[in-house]
Amino acid sequence: MSTSLATLSEKEYWDEVLTKAELPRLNSEKNYSYRVTMNYIHDILKGSEGKSFLEIGCGSSGWLPYFHNTYKLKISGLDYSKVGCDVAKENLKMQHIPFSEIYCKDFLEQNFDLPQKFDFIFSYGVVEHFNDTTEIIAIFKKLLKPGGTLITLVPNLNGFNGFITKKFMPDIYALHKVITNKQLKSYHTDNKLQLKKSNYVGTFSFAVFPF
């Protein structure tokens, strides 16, 4: 693993976090931050029944059940934490949701690849944990089918949200790279990806703080 691709957080940290996950998990519109995300990406996913979908960083995900139930996608997941992979599988089984595969692999490993490509790749709070976001996006792009769609979401740590996190939760803040919308766009266009939409979503919410 190159220095530029070094993660800002360690696997042991995520193992500890994921061990505490309470199941079953299913993201709901009742949660404000989830609801604005769902509304923002709905026009991208509507009419996609039966297409292949990979969530990168799926450990304890409540998104995989949501995307299967809402859009009837053929869901798969990827996580480098075995704890996270086990939790993701158990969560789907508890809710009787079929899934293609949960891959327990580290995408930073040399010659990383998966046995299939995907119509949709989704990451929710992943790329900001790495120094060189452009290279991380390049890795994700390799897993897309021709004409596929990459959906990349990161927390907005600019402005007041970032100020509060940095002041009261500095250890958590240090695990993140602060990314502006302009920067996030460039990480994708630098990889010759065509932007469908990119913007800040929602307004102030306590739900975004990692209490």
Side-chain angles (χ1 to χ4, degrees):
M1 181 175 67
S2 69
T3 303
S4 64
L5 288 180
T7 177
L8 299 176
S9 57
E10 300 297 331
K11 187 166 74 70
E12 290 75 17
Y13 167 81
W14 293 112
D15 285 346
E16 181 179 354
V17 170
L18 295 167
T19 299
K20 300 174 183 177
E22 296 182 5
L23 302 181
R25 294 173 68 90
L26 172 64
N27 290 352
S28 167
E29 293 182 356
K30 294 179 181 179
N31 179 294
Y32 172 76
S33 60
Y34 293 155
R35 183 170 68 252
V36 296
T37 299
M38 294 168 181
N39 292 339
Y40 186 74
I41 64 177
H42 173 68
D43 62 333
I44 297 173
L45 291 171
K46 63 182 180 182
S48 55
E49 180 176 349
K51 291 192 175 182
S52 56
F53 179 97
L54 175 72
E55 179 179 8
I56 297 179
C58 69
S60 77
S61 172
W63 283 114
L64 286 178
Y66 169 79
F67 287 125
H68 169 77
N69 292 341
T70 305
Y71 300 103
K72 307 306 178 189
L73 294 160
K74 294 180 179 178
I75 56 171
S76 296
L78 169 69
D79 206 289
Y80 76 154
S81 165
K82 186 179 184 305
V83 175
C85 292
D86 290 344
V87 170
K89 290 177 184 177
E90 181 63 23
N91 187 43
L92 292 167
K93 290 175 181 178
M94 287 178 69
Q95 299 180 62
H96 306 290
I97 294 175
F99 59 94
S100 296
E101 187 64 66
I102 301 297
Y103 298 100
C104 198
K105 291 188 175 184
D106 186 345
F107 58 70
L108 295 185
E109 290 180 353
Q110 190 174 10
N111 300 320
F112 164 79
D113 200 2
L114 295 181
Q116 69 173 112
K117 307 298 181 185
F118 299 87
D119 296 301
F120 295 98
I121 293 178
F122 173 85
S123 67
Y124 185 90
V126 175
V127 303
E128 75 278 7
H129 294 292
F130 300 88
N131 287 318
D132 194 329
T133 314
T134 300
E135 291 193 48
I136 298 300
I137 296 297
I139 294 171
F140 293 0
K141 179 185 176 182
K142 291 178 181 178
L143 300 176
L144 279 175
K145 289 182 179 180
T149 300
L150 177 63
I151 304 172
T152 311
L153 298 126
V154 301
N156 178 16
L157 291 178
N158 295 282
F160 187 66
N161 290 344
F163 171 78
I164 292 295
T165 305
K166 186 175 183 178
K167 183 174 179 62
F168 295 102
M169 292 160 279
D171 292 345
I172 298 296
Y173 184 85
L175 301 178
H176 297 76
K177 175 180 179 179
V178 179
I179 298 175
T180 66
N181 183 43
K182 182 178 180 180
Q183 290 171 323
L184 190 60
K185 288 180 179 179
S186 70
Y187 300 146
H188 292 74
T189 56
D190 288 348
N191 277 294
K192 297 183 173 20
L193 288 163
Q194 181 180 353
L195 291 177
K196 291 186 176 181
K197 61 193 302 186
S198 180
N199 213 330
Y200 295 102
V201 179
T203 57
F204 174 78
S205 171
F206 281 107
V208 303
F209 298 121
F211 292 114

